[in-house]
Amino acid sequence: MAEQHGHTPQEPADAARALAARRGRRGGLLPAALGRARAGTPADPGQWAPRVGRALGLPAAAGLGPVTYFADLATPHAERHVRVCTATACFAAEGGRHLGAVERELGVPADTAGPDGGTSLQTVHCLGYCYAGPAALDGTRPRTGTDLADQLAGRTPPRAPGIPAADATGDPVLLSGIVAGRPAWDGWRRTLDRLSPEDVRQEVAASGLRGRGGAGFPVAAKWAATGARPGTVVVANGDEGDPGSYADRLLMEEDPDRVLAGLALACFACGARRGVVLVRSEYPAALVRMRRARDRAVADGHLADTLRTGDARPVVEIVEGAGSYVAGEETALIARLEGARGCARPRPPYPTDRGLWGAPTVVNNVETLASLPWIVRNGGERYARYGTAEETGTKLVCLSERFVRPGAYEVHLGTPVRHIVDALGGGLKGGGPAVVQIGGPLGGFLTDADLDVPLTSTALAARGAALGHAGTVAFDARTDPVELMRHLWEFAARESCGACSPCRIGTRRGLALATAGTPPGPSYDSLARLMGEASLCAFGRRVPAAVRSLARAYGPELTGWDR
């Protein structure tokens, strides 16, 4: 029976992928087509999404699936569409009060359109302005600051400061273009002329580089898993979902050539002729700059504009996301690129065996790729001398608005968190001890007593935290820990993809308990254990750990949640 349906028992059927493949992979055209149809209309998706699916030769349901999943497609879009950030750093800046002020100013409840269809308001996680929040996008125009509602009303001038960025290593890798002015493409021609794919793979293996998107998997090992088979694709994951981090936004906006050069090197090492960059929709400037940089790279001969060139230069496509945290997970990201709902898929098969349209697929984070030009130019052994023996290299750490000196800092892995918080960030505004969240909403919370921990995945995990994207959000004495707990569960419930029952039901139950404002009862233990052990992907498995970390940080105020 399995062979009759075109899959083996080791490769479970995926109905959406199989359908789209039979129709000439037209599902890959769905995301952009649905985005164009949604722009400027407050109408319910049921009124227009089926037509989009049928226009591409797909069933009507093919259009309805993504629009009922992705926030950008599900939310009404009026002529004026405002997106307001409700993620962790913006919550910490104003205790979440800015959303109510924006709703009152616009006269529109969150995630709806006004009765006249003139203005719509969407809540998002996050816009990448964690250093200056709270933040909003009025169309594609950013607004930041405590007077956010006044800016949207036109009573005060708009403010959207650039990302403060500084190197703390003395020899920047990721910031080598932004702070040192070093060109990104200078080693690419040498690579094509003098090096083999094996040479590049060996340098990256010697560097010890691990993925910077959160999982921390060795890059060279992921590349090797594809076997350089024909048709291999490399995807640059720029759908940076961790609230509190804006490293990918910084790189894509201020040094897009370095991201593309890294992608080209990854394609070369994997024998791939196709590259894809997925840019989160909440970063409109990054999308524009990545596309411009791609066009320049084609004009300059660094990238190909067709697969028929006969050389190793890849063809690169820039794709816009549609608003989903879980769609940053590699199997969910691939599902989104194929035009399906951005839900995580069971593994095996792994993407390196069967990924985008069944082809071997490598998914590398933007920050990971931005390290490659430096490594190939300077050598893997030199890179491996930075950081620690187990976790080599450098990392961009993003500090939130509550710090005296917020911004993105490049540091060596292993740098004490206290040095980052106090020496680089200047400590908390107004002084006093802070509770610090590291690694995004599924990371963990550290108190002042924990800050001597080194910035490594292993050391942070031992304290109940995580490295993740290394977004670092500070909370001061104004933060209500009960409201922060509710905020965490609200994020989890909203962003769960719903593909598995433990996460889908567990996050909703957790939110109900947190909203009630009382400690959970005995049934919570089994709920947390079920989510942690049986959820399909790391999202559901990490939520209980993040909750326990928050409860430990605040102690008696959250008694009962630390089980």
Side-chain angles (χ1 to χ4, degrees), residues 50 97 134 159 167 184 212 217 221 224 300 326 376-377 405 407 421 428 507 509 526 548:
R97 293 183 295 274
R159 290 195 308 278
D167 170 57
R212 299 299 191 229
F217 194 79
D300 293 341
V326 171
V376 172
R377 183 178 63 247
R405 292 187 293 274
V421 167
L428 200 66
T507 54
R509 176 61 178 154
S526 59
R548 286 193 293 270

Side-chain angles (χ1 to χ4, degrees), residues 438-490:
I438 297 183
L442 304 184
F445 295 80
L446 304 177
T447 65
D448 184 73
D450 300 314
L451 295 185
D452 291 317
V453 62
L455 187 78
T456 65
S457 297
T458 302
L460 288 169
R463 302 293 180 95
L467 180 62
H469 278 85
T472 305
V473 179
F475 303 91
D476 58 22
R478 302 177 306 167
T479 300
D480 180 348
V482 175
E483 277 299 295
L484 182 56
M485 177 67 76
R486 182 201 57 76
H487 169 81
L488 193 158
W489 277 109
E490 184 176 58

